[in-house]
Amino acid sequence: TVPVASVASAFPRGRRARIALRTVQVLLALFYAIASALPKLIGNSYAVDAFDRIGWGSAGMYTIGALELAGAVALLVPVLQSVAAVALSALMVGAFVVQVVVFGGENAATPLILIVPLVLIAWARRGSNADLLKLVRR
């Protein structure tokens, strides 16, 4: 196993590291809200065609769009940021499977690429999970 000290040193808590991580969170939130959720939520023809091909129709399209938008917003809320990153990662695993099975792997790399910074956020912001638990237990 890897010593805890070496894991902690891999994610420095310096000011620059915190700013860089927050910048990644904001960029991902913008991506999920504008580039990914919005086309689904406004019924863009490309999104409609893709979800029809998957067999999920408009209900699936709007559901996935709403989940992506909720995840984008939650990435910006300190108490939710780690949970949001985990949830969006799970959504990306599903997207990867759909890309491979339904679309022949056409854009399968995209969800995998997005998982990398999401896992980093989930790990680096894992302390917010304790705060969330405290809120839930009230």
Side-chain angles (χ1 to χ4, degrees):
T1 62
V2 178
V4 174
S6 66
V7 171
S9 66
F11 298 102
R13 292 290 178 174
R15 185 171 187 271
R16 286 186 203 163
R18 287 191 311 271
I19 291 170
L21 187 62
R22 192 62 174 168
T23 301
V24 169
Q25 284 177 246
V26 169
L27 291 173
L28 279 173
L30 288 170
F31 170 80
Y32 277 105
I34 296 168
S36 195
L38 186 62
K40 295 171 184 81
L41 295 175
I42 64 171
N44 177 285
S45 62
Y46 178 79
V48 170
D49 293 343
F51 277 85
D52 283 345
R53 187 167 167 195
I54 295 168
W56 294 357
S58 61
M61 179 182 68
Y62 291 125
T63 300
I64 298 297
L67 289 171
E68 289 175 338
L69 183 59
V73 171
L75 274 177
L76 303 176
V77 178
V79 74
L80 298 174
Q81 55 198 354
S82 180
V83 171
V86 170
L88 286 169
S89 294
L91 202 58
M92 291 302 98
V93 169
F96 171 76
V97 170
V98 167
Q99 288 294 331
V100 170
V101 172
V102 178
F103 298 104
E106 186 178 319
N107 294 311
T110 302
L112 294 179
I113 291 167
L114 290 168
I115 287 173
V116 173
L118 289 169
V119 168
L120 173 66
I121 292 164
W123 175 260
R125 303 293 195 196
R126 69 192 181 282
S128 66
N129 293 336
D131 298 333
L132 180 59
L133 270 176
K134 288 177 191 173
L135 285 174
V136 170
R137 290 181 178 163
R138 283 188 189 176

